Amino acid sequence: MTDPASSTDVPPIAVALHGGSGTICREMLSAELEQSYRQALAEARDAAWSLLAAGGAALDAVEAGAKVLEDCPLFNAGLGAVFTSDGGHELDAAIMEGRERKAGAVAGVKSVKNPISLARAVLADERYVFLAGPGAEAFAESVAVERVAADWFGTPERFAQLRAAQANDGMVMDHDGKVSTKYGTIGVVALDEHGDVAAATSTGGLTNKKFGRIGDTPLIGAGTYADNRTCAVSCTGYGEEFMRAVVAHDVAARMEYLGETLERATRHVVWQKLPKLRGSGGLIAVDRTGRVSLPFNTDGMYRAWRTSRDKTEGVAIFGDD
Amino acid sequence: MTDPASSTDVPPIAVALHGGSGTICREMLSAELEQSYRQALAEARDAAWSLLAAGGAALDAVEAGAKVLEDCPLFNAGLGAVFTSDGGHELDAAIMEGRERKAGAVAGVKSVKNPISLARAVLADERYVFLAGPGAEAFAESVAVERVAADWFGTPERFAQLRAAQANDGMVMDHDGKVSTKYGTIGVVALDEHGDVAAATSTGGLTNKKFGRIGDTPLIGAGTYADNRTCAVSCTGYGEEFMRAVVAHDVAARMEYLGETLERATRHVVWQKLPKLRGSGGLIAVDRTGRVSLPFNTDGMYRAWRTSRDKTEGVAIFGDD
């Protein structure tokens, strides 16, 4: 290996995460709310980082970080998930590790407090990759995940968003500002000291969504992907275009086949390819050398990162911070 | 363009299809049954071909071919779908066109005679890409697709396979020979005279499957993919590995980024990459120049093809025919 990061004795570790992307402007966030977002993003990042710094596995780190974001009502995943058209919640999540490319995903989950942990249980079980609906709930009965009542996920803010969307007869994203659209998803990627990468993504879907719609989040290759040879990726955006473009796998394929760097591959996909499909959103990614990349083609993306390689860390929301 | 196929005045058309792959040996098929399979494969191919030859769209051709295979009880899709663990049927399908990369997919469908046509309706609707479970059924109410009773799909042979699997306490594929495994899926790919490619895949899933398991079939990029710049692909095999390897998109990515031919890209993925994940199965693919490729790493794959470019056509089942 010729990479400078591996010329030292200490292998690099890194984490990056997102809490959704979209039309996120300073004038839309009060100082208090902005501070709450920044604090939650830092807390999730630090939860993942502390595991990595103690020699833990990337797979454990991304699950731990994702759980912090799922448990925070500010983000559209777990507690604080948006409402479907019938006033319920349908949660999707996926997790993947890059060494053997084992993966687990769930869709349409209604009673599991942390969908990312159910996805992790699917991965650990190894019989399947993707479980959906009542079947996923039945699987949850057989593993150790915390269950909650159906009304546990909702918050007054989310219910107001449902009512606004229904008045509008439209299916809108979880932040229903007058001129705003926000793609509510959370995701974490990490590299551990063993050289393994992992990715986790979780979402409450779309406010007022109908017909059991599944987005890109739980689809391996679309919203979530990890391969030690290249990178780990978690996406946030309008899911339909991310599925059609197979975004997460496309980033890995460009690195593997074109020899592109993580930065170049992620920027090309988010800034060049996705706009051609009118796809808006962003992604976070980490490569095996400990670099991270967090590009988005929207006004903002809730995000945080920390790397040992470049000794960088940060929490950011807007396009210019 | 330097391709010889485009140097003539008549643009090329092509179709390829599969009816599943696996341990398919001559000694397991009676002469009569073998003849029935060959006839059904030829009928589906000719249904797609006649549309293409009349100047029709690849998207219409793959839907027409897939419907013939769904309606034939020999194949594990539509009529003749295998039974789930609770004695029902959960059907998955996806369809995609290569010009704008529009896609439609459904999972866990129980009352639609031709799941591929419901996927086509999702594609045409354009609001979503992937609908699952009761929500997909609700969407079916709003479009013109034929509905059937829940017991319509089953056949005595499939029920015997369920009983055998349950006696075995295992989840097995749809052909339960003593030493045999067969991956029951059907798929069609086509190129039309307008230069558009399309892919369609449909399945009844796994005999005795539990927990609302979804395989690669309805996942855009895994079991189904189409992009005019490269190719259209439909997969058949053990779905979990096809999902983890994002097989269909990987073929397209190798052509786009490495400049590989269709033949080289498909063979590399099926013969080199999938076995490393212990993934068994095959795929069919067509490129924009009218070439087809039908590689598999199992003993056999039910398949048929016809191309105007090389004036080839065939129907085959075993590895050596």
Side-chain angles (χ1 to χ4, degrees):
Chain A
M1 300 225 292
T2 59
D3 195 277
S6 52
S7 63
T8 66
D9 286 324
V10 183
I13 58 173
V15 62
L17 61 86
H18 68 75
S21 61
T23 308
I24 306 165
C25 311
R26 282 198 167 75
E27 54 267 32
M28 292 164 48
L29 284 185
S30 69
E32 292 77 19
L33 192 54
E34 181 183 330
Q35 187 52 34
S36 298
Y37 272 111
R38 291 184 185 273
Q39 197 170 322
L41 292 165
E43 187 191 334
R45 177 198 61 190
D46 296 345
W49 181 267
S50 63
L51 280 171
L52 296 170
L59 194 58
D60 292 327
V62 298
E63 182 186 359
K67 285 176 77 169
V68 171
L69 295 170
E70 284 181 338
D71 289 343
C72 174
L74 292 172
F75 303 103
N76 176 24
L79 178 65
V82 300
F83 284 86
T84 60
S85 66
D86 60 359
H89 302 278
E90 294 177 354
L91 310 172
D92 305 338
I95 193 165
M96 186 169 188
E97 59 81 38
R99 185 187 292 186
E100 299 181 65
R101 282 184 286 165
K102 290 182 192 167
V106 293
V109 168
K110 299 181 177 191
S111 73
V112 176
K113 177 169 174 277
N114 291 106
I116 199 65
S117 296
L118 184 60
R120 174 75 187 268
V122 174
L123 180 154
D125 182 87
E126 291 197 25
R127 281 180 293 174
Y128 320 97
V129 167
F130 190 16
L131 305 181
E137 301 278 329
F139 178 77
E141 297 282 348
S142 68
V143 294
V145 292
E146 188 174 346
R147 310 294 287 277
V148 291
D151 63 356
W152 188 83
F153 301 102
T155 65
E157 292 77 14
R158 298 302 191 199
F159 195 71
Q161 288 167 359
L162 173 66
R163 285 289 176 248
Q166 289 175 331
N168 207 15
D169 197 29
M171 186 179 70
V172 301
M173 303 302 163
D174 77 335
H175 187 125
D176 184 36
K178 286 291 174 287
V179 290
S180 101
T181 314
K182 188 175 152 303
Y183 307 107
T185 312
I186 66 95
V188 188
V189 295
L191 168 73
D192 65 30
E193 68 174 35
H194 315 289
D196 294 325
V197 297
T201 316
S202 181
T203 186
L206 305 177
T207 294
N208 200 30
K209 86 179 172 81
K210 300 184 178 84
F211 303 135
R213 175 261 191 192
I214 297 177
D216 64 307
T217 295
L219 304 198
I220 301 303
T224 306
Y225 192 67
D227 185 343
N228 276 5
R229 292 171 303 176
T230 50
C231 60
V233 180
S234 170
C235 298
T236 164
Y238 196 73
E240 275 62 16
E241 280 70 45
F242 280 68
M243 280 188 267
R244 292 162 55 208
V246 200
V247 167
H249 183 261
D250 199 30
V251 169
R254 295 186 71 89
M255 292 179 68
E256 183 174 359
Y257 302 141
L258 294 177
E260 289 187 348
T261 63
L262 182 79
E263 185 89 353
R264 189 177 172 88
T266 56
R267 289 183 175 186
H268 186 87
V269 169
V270 172
W271 293 350
Q272 305 293 324
K273 294 186 79 170
L274 266 173
K276 286 180 188 163
L277 288 178
R278 296 181 294 280
S280 65
L283 60 81
I284 53 165
V286 61
D287 71 12
R288 59 201 296 274
T289 73
R291 288 190 180 93
V292 298
S293 180
L294 306 89
F296 50 96
N297 60 30
T298 47
D299 289 329
M301 179 168 82
Y302 297 107
R303 59 201 188 277
W305 65 95
R306 185 168 178 183
T307 74
S308 67
R309 177 198 168 105
D310 304 317
K311 307 245 181 308
T312 62
E313 64 174 277
V315 174
I317 297 176
F318 313 109
D320 59 357
D321 80 339
Chain B
M1 299 223 294
T2 58
D3 195 277
S6 53
S7 63
T8 66
D9 287 323
V10 182
I13 59 173
V15 61
L17 60 86
H18 69 75
S21 61
T23 309
I24 305 166
C25 311
R26 283 198 167 75
E27 53 267 34
M28 292 166 46
L29 283 184
S30 69
E32 293 76 20
L33 192 55
E34 182 183 331
Q35 187 52 33
S36 299
Y37 273 111
R38 291 185 186 271
Q39 197 171 320
L41 293 165
E43 186 190 334
R45 178 198 60 189
D46 297 345
W49 180 266
S50 62
L51 280 171
L52 296 170
L59 194 59
D60 292 326
V62 298
E63 182 187 0
K67 286 176 75 170
V68 172
L69 296 170
E70 284 181 337
D71 290 342
C72 174
L74 292 172
F75 303 104
N76 175 26
L79 178 65
V82 300
F83 284 85
T84 60
S85 66
D86 60 359
H89 302 278
E90 293 177 356
L91 310 172
D92 304 339
I95 193 165
M96 186 169 189
E97 58 81 37
R99 186 187 293 187
E100 298 181 65
R101 282 184 285 166
K102 290 182 191 168
V106 293
V109 169
K110 300 182 177 189
S111 74
V112 177
K113 178 169 173 277
N114 292 106
I116 199 66
S117 296
L118 185 61
R120 175 74 188 268
V122 174
L123 180 154
D125 182 87
E126 292 197 26
R127 280 180 295 175
Y128 321 97
V129 167
F130 190 15
L131 305 182
E137 302 278 331
F139 177 77
E141 297 282 349
S142 68
V143 294
V145 293
E146 189 175 347
R147 311 294 287 278
V148 291
D151 62 357
W152 188 83
F153 300 101
T155 65
E157 292 77 14
R158 299 301 191 199
F159 195 70
Q161 289 167 359
L162 173 65
R163 286 288 177 247
Q166 288 175 330
N168 206 17
D169 197 29
M171 186 180 69
V172 301
M173 302 302 163
D174 76 336
H175 186 124
D176 186 35
K178 287 292 175 288
V179 291
S180 101
T181 314
K182 187 176 154 300
Y183 308 107
T185 313
I186 66 95
V188 189
V189 296
L191 168 73
D192 65 31
E193 67 175 35
H194 315 290
D196 293 326
V197 298
T201 317
S202 181
T203 187
L206 305 176
T207 294
N208 199 31
K209 86 181 174 78
K210 300 183 178 83
F211 303 136
R213 176 261 191 192
I214 297 177
D216 65 308
T217 295
L219 303 197
I220 301 304
T224 306
Y225 192 67
D227 185 343
N228 276 4
R229 292 171 303 175
T230 51
C231 60
V233 180
S234 170
C235 299
T236 164
Y238 196 75
E240 274 62 16
E241 280 70 45
F242 280 68
M243 279 188 269
R244 291 162 55 209
V246 201
V247 167
H249 184 263
D250 199 30
V251 169
R254 295 185 72 87
M255 292 181 69
E256 183 175 357
Y257 301 141
L258 294 177
E260 288 188 346
T261 63
L262 183 78
E263 185 88 352
R264 189 177 172 87
T266 56
R267 289 183 175 185
H268 186 86
V269 170
V270 173
W271 294 349
Q272 306 293 326
K273 293 185 80 169
L274 267 173
K276 286 180 189 163
L277 287 179
R278 295 181 295 281
S280 65
L283 61 81
I284 54 166
V286 60
D287 71 12
R288 58 201 296 273
T289 72
R291 286 189 181 93
V292 298
S293 180
L294 305 89
F296 50 97
N297 61 30
T298 47
D299 290 330
M301 179 169 81
Y302 297 106
R303 61 202 187 276
W305 65 95
R306 185 168 177 183
T307 75
S308 67
R309 177 197 168 105
D310 304 318
K311 308 245 182 303
T312 62
E313 64 174 277
V315 173
I317 298 176
F318 312 110
D320 59 357
D321 79 341

